[in-house]
C-alpha cells in the first residue's frame, strides 16, 4: 500500500505474492513526477509508437492536472493501443483507467470518507468486511463472472473495460466516464477483396507491434497452439514477420487430435513444439495443491471464474525449465464472429432468451433466477435498439465484448502472470477491434471474413501448407451446416468426431473432481449433488435444487463456480505478510 498525505484516499497494488517457487506477480512501474505519482501495469502504443512508462505518465499527468480535462482525456485514451491498467494520483484527485478489453483489472471502494483503489479485490474485502451479494453470486454461478461494475460483494466495484474514474479528494465526488464503446457502425462500403486487404494491413500492424515489444527486445514468444484457427493465425503471422524465437505448446490426453494437429502446424513452420501430457491424476494433484488455492484467489478476484485450464501446463513448463524466464505467452483470444440464433422475431425478449442461452449456461435454473438474469442483461444494454437481425447481432456482440470477453475469456492470462511470465493478446489489438466494428454484418456471420482471410490470403504462398493440415475450426467450407449436402455433412461430422470425444467423453480435466472421472460422471447423472455451504443463500440453493430435480448433466466450469463460491467467505488477503491465508474458524471448502 502506498500512503499519501490524505490518509483516506489510498492507492494499493500488490507488490508481489510469493509462495515457494510457484508464484511471482508483476509489480507496477511507479513513476514520480512533479505534483503526481503514477502506477502502471502493461504496455502501451500511441499512433503505432511504443510509449515508455515515463512518457505515458507525463502525458496522463498533464491531462488530469487540468481544470476541464474530461473530453481531452477521453480523446487521448481512445487513441491508446495496448494492454494496461493505470492509476495516477495528485494532491487533488485519483485517476484510474483500464484498457479497452479490461485485460488487467482494477477494483475500488468508495465510502463516505474514503476511496481505495487496488488490483486486489481481496485486499478491499479485508478493509471493509462487506456482505456477499446473492444476486451477483447467482450470476457468477451460472455465467462464470459478475457483470457491469459489480463484484461478488456489496460496495466493492470494478473498473469496466474502456472506463476511467476521477475521484475528487476535496469533496469526495467520484465520476465515471467511458472512452470507447463496442458498437458497430460507420460500415465500410467496399467489396470483399478490399476488406481483405484492409484486414491484412491491420493484422500486419498488430503483429508488428507485438514483435517490436517482445522478439526485438530479446524475448521468446510462447504460443499455446491448439488445433483451431486463432492460434494458427498467430503462428502464421509470426512466421510471416520473421519471428524465430517461437515455441509452440500443446497439452491434453496423449494422442488427442488437438495435439496431433498442433504438432503438424509447428513442424510445418519449423517452430519448436512442446507437448505436456494431461491425465486425470495430474489434474487432481494440481487442482488440490496449495499453489492452486493461491492461484484461484489471485485469478478470480471476486469477479471472474479462475481459468484453470492452462495451470498444470504452465506450472510444468516453469518447474522443468522448458521455456526461458523471459518468455511471453501469446494466446489466441479473439471475438470477431456474429451469432444470430434462429428466431421468429428480433425484439428484446428474443434477445434476452438468446443471451441467457449463450452466456448463462453453467447451471440450469428455474423461473426466479431467469427473471433476475434477464433484468441484469436488460440493464447492461439499456439504450440499444433491437429491431432487426443487424441490431440484434450488434447487441449480442456488445454484451459479449463488455462482459464475457472482458471478464471471462481474457481473465485466462492471469495464469501466465501467476508464474512470472508476460503475455500479449494481438488478436484483441485496438486497431483490429476498430476494423471489425466497421465490417458489415454479412461478413461477420460465422466469422466469414476472418475465415476467408485465413484460407485465401494468409495461408497462401509459403504458408499454403497450413490449408492442408486439419483444423478444429471449419474454415474451408463456409456454408452453414444445415445448408450443406449430405456428403459435406458426413465429412464435417467425421472431422469433428475426435474432437467431441476428446472434449466431452474422455477429457482428463474431470480429474479435478473425480478419481475415476468417467464412472463418477455417469453415476452423478442419476444422483443428487449437494453443497452445504450455500444453504444460507436461497437463490443459489434453488439453482442447485433445480439441477437435482431435473438431473441435468454437470459441467466442469459449473462445478468450479460453485466450489469457488462455497469457500469464498473465508479467504483473506493479508496485506502485511503479502500472503493469502485462511483465518481460524473460516468455512472450509467441501471436497467435491
Amino acid at each position: 500500500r502506498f500512503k499519501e498525505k490524505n490518509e483516506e484516499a489510498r492507492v494499493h497494488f500488490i507488490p508481489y505474492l510469493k509462495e515457494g517457487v510457484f508464484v511471482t506477480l508483476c509489480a507496477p512501474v511507479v513513476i514520480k513526477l512533479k505534483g503526481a505519482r503514477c502506477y502502471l501495469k502493461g504496455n502501451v502504443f500511441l499512433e503505432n509508437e511504443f510509449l515508455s512508462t515515463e512518457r505515458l505518465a507525463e502525458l496522463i499527468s498533464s491531462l488530469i492536472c487540468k481544470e476541464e480535462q474530461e473530453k481531452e482525456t477521453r480523446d487521448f485514451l481512445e487513441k491508446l493501443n495496448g494492454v494496461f491498467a493505470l492509476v495516477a494520483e495528485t494532491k487533488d484527485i485519483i485517476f484510474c483507467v483500464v484498457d479497452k478489453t479490461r485485460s488487467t483489472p482494477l477494483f475500488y471502494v468508495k465510502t463516505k470518507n474514503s476511496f481505495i483503489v487496488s488490483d486486489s479485490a481481496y485486499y478491499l474485502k479485508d478493509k471493509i468486511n462487506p456482505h456477499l451479494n446473492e444476486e451477483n453470486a447467482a450470476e457468477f454461478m451460472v455465467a462464470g463472472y459478475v457483470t457491469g461494475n459489480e463484484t461478488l460483494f456489496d460496495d466493492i466495484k470494478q473498473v469496466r473495460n474502456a472506463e476511467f474514474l476521477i475521484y475528487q479528494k476535496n469533496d469526495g465526488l467520484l465520476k465515471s466516464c467511458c472512452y470507447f464503446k463496442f458498437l458497430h457502425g460507420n460500415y465500410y462500403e467496399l467489396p470483399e477483396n478490399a476488406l481483405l486487404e484492409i484486414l491484412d494491413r491491420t493484422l500486419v500492424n498488430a503483429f508488428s507491434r507485438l514483435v517490436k515489444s517482445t522478439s526485438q527486445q530479446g524475448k521468446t514468444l510462447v504460443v499455446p497452439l491448439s488445433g483451431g484457427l486463432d492460434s494458427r493465425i498467430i503462428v502464421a503471422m509470426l512466421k510471416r514477420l520473421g519471428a524465430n524465437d517461437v515455441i509452440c505448446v500443446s497439452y491434453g490426453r496423449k494422442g488427442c487430435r488437438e495435439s496431433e494437429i498442433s504438432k503438424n502446424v509447428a513442424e510445418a513452420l519449423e517452430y519448436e513444439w512442446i507437448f505436456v501430457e494431461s491425465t486425470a491424476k495430474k489434474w487432481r494433484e494440481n487442482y488440490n495443491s496449495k499453489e492452486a488455492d493461491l492461484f484461484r484467489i489471485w485469478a478470480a478476484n471476486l469477479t471472474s471464474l479462475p481459468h484453470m485450464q492452462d495451470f498444470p501446463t504452465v506450472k510444468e513448463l516453469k518447474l522443468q525449465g522448458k521455456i526461458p524466464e523471459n518468455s511471453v505467452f501469446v494466446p489466441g483470444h479473439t471475438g470477431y464472429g456474429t451469432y444470430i440464433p434462429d428466431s421468429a422475431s428480433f425484439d428484446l425478449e428474443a434477445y434476452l432468451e438468446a443471451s441467457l442461452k449463450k452466456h448463462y449456461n453453467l447451471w440450469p435454473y428455474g423461473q426466479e433466477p431467469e427473471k433476475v438474469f434477464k433484468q441484469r442483461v436488460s440493464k447492461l444494454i439499456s439504450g440499444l435498439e433491437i429491431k432487426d437481425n443487424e441490431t440484434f447481432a450488434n447487441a449480442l456482440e456488445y454484451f459479449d465484448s463488455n462482459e464475457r470477453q472482458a471478464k471471462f475469456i481474457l481473465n485466462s492470462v492471469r495464469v501466465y502472470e501467476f508464474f512470472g511470465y508476460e503475455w500479449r493478446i494481438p488478436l484483441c489489438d485496438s486497431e483490429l477491434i476498430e476494423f471489425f466494428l466497421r465490417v458489415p454484418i454479412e461478413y461477420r456471420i460465422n466469422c466469414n471474413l476472418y475465415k476467408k482471410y485465413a484460407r485465401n490470403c494468409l495461408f497462401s504462398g509459403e504458408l499454403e501448407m497450413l490449408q492442408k493440415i486439419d483444423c478444429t475450426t471449419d474454415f474451408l467450407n463456409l456454408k452453414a451446416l444445415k445448408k450443406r449436402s449430405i456428403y459435406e455433412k458426413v465429412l464435417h461430422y467425421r472431422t469433428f468426431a475426435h474432437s467431441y470425444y476428446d472434449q466431452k467423453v474422455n477429457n482428463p480435466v474431470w480429474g479435478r473432481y473425480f478419481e475415476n472421472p468417467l464412472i463418477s460422471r455417469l453415476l452423478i447423472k442419476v444422483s443428487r449433488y449437494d453443497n452445504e455451504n450455500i444453504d444460507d443463500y436461497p437463490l443459489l440453493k434453488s439453482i442447485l435444487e433445480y439441477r437435482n430435480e431435473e438431473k441435468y448433466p454437470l459441467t466442469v466450469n459449473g462445478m468450479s463456480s460453485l466450489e469457488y463460491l462455497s469457500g469464498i467467505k473465508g479467504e483473506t488477503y493479508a496485506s502485511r505478510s503479502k500472503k493469502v491465508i485462511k483465518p481460524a474458524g473460516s468455512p472450509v471448502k467441501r471436497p467435491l
Side-chain angles (χ1 to χ4, degrees), residues 114-139:
S114 68
F115 178 78
I116 308 174
V117 59
S118 173
D119 61 349
S120 169
Y122 277 93
Y123 174 86
L124 302 178
K125 175 175 170 284
D126 292 352
K127 286 293 176 186
I128 63 173
N129 192 28
H131 295 289
L132 181 74
N133 184 303
E134 189 175 358
E135 281 193 7
N136 293 1
E139 183 175 56

Side-chain angles (χ1 to χ4, degrees), residues 253 256 500-510 517-518 521:
R253 181 180 55 81
C256 70
Y500 182 86
Y501 175 79
D502 290 335
Q503 291 295 321
K504 303 294 184 181
V505 180
N506 191 15
N507 191 339
V509 73
W510 281 100
L518 190 57
R521 287 170 65 198

Side-chain angles (χ1 to χ4, degrees), residues 212-244:
K212 185 175 183 178
S213 68
T214 55
S215 293
Q216 292 181 8
Q217 306 299 319
K219 299 175 182 179
T220 300
L221 298 177
V222 178
V223 181
L225 183 59
S226 69
L229 182 60
D230 295 328
S231 58
R232 188 176 302 191
I233 286 177
I234 286 177
V235 290
M237 287 300 302
L238 292 175
K239 191 69 176 180
R240 177 180 170 184
L241 294 180
N244 295 317

Side-chain angles (χ1 to χ4, degrees), residues 132-147 152 302-306 359-366 369 373 376 408 529-531 533-535 537-548 554-566 568 592:
L132 181 74
N133 184 303
E134 189 175 358
E135 281 193 7
N136 293 1
E139 183 175 56
F140 181 96
M141 181 174 172
V142 303
Y145 49 89
V146 184
T147 57
L152 286 170
L302 309 180
T303 304
S304 305
L305 186 65
H359 299 293
Y360 292 68
N361 54 20
L362 301 185
W363 288 91
Y365 44 86
F373 301 147
R376 295 175 76 92
F408 188 69
Y529 182 79
D530 294 304
N531 193 305
N533 288 325
I534 64 169
D535 285 349
Y537 302 100
L539 191 58
L540 302 183
K541 192 173 181 180
S542 74
I543 295 172
L544 193 55
E545 281 300 318
Y546 185 83
R547 180 270 155 193
N548 287 332
L554 297 174
T555 66
V556 169
N557 283 337
M559 293 181 70
S560 295
S561 67
L562 180 58
E563 184 189 51
Y564 180 75
L565 289 171
S566 70
I568 199 171
L592 299 177

Side-chain angles (χ1 to χ4, degrees), residues 13 48 52 82 154 241 256-257 295 353 377 384 421 437 498:
F13 271 99
N48 217 31
S52 67
D154 290 330
L241 294 180
C256 70
R257 182 167 176 268
F295 171 71
E353 292 286 346
V377 175
L384 296 187
Y421 298 111
L437 288 178
H498 292 295

Side-chain angles (χ1 to χ4, degrees), residues 62-130:
S62 66
L63 287 172
I64 65 176
C65 289
K66 295 180 179 179
E67 288 292 330
E68 299 293 332
Q69 77 275 53
E70 184 180 321
K71 184 181 184 304
E72 195 173 346
T73 301
R74 183 188 291 112
D75 293 342
F76 172 75
L77 293 173
E78 188 174 0
K79 295 176 184 177
L80 296 183
N81 196 346
V83 289
F84 62 89
L86 182 142
V87 178
E89 184 170 17
T90 71
K91 64 182 180 64
D92 297 319
I93 70 168
I94 293 179
F95 173 87
C96 318
V97 64
V98 297
D99 61 47
K100 295 167 187 172
T101 60
R102 185 195 169 272
S103 60
T104 300
L106 288 178
F107 304 90
Y108 62 96
V109 166
K110 182 186 180 300
T111 64
K112 184 178 180 180
N113 300 312
S114 68
F115 178 78
I116 308 174
V117 59
S118 173
D119 61 349
S120 169
Y122 277 93
Y123 174 86
L124 302 178
K125 175 175 170 284
D126 292 352
K127 286 293 176 186
I128 63 173
N129 192 28

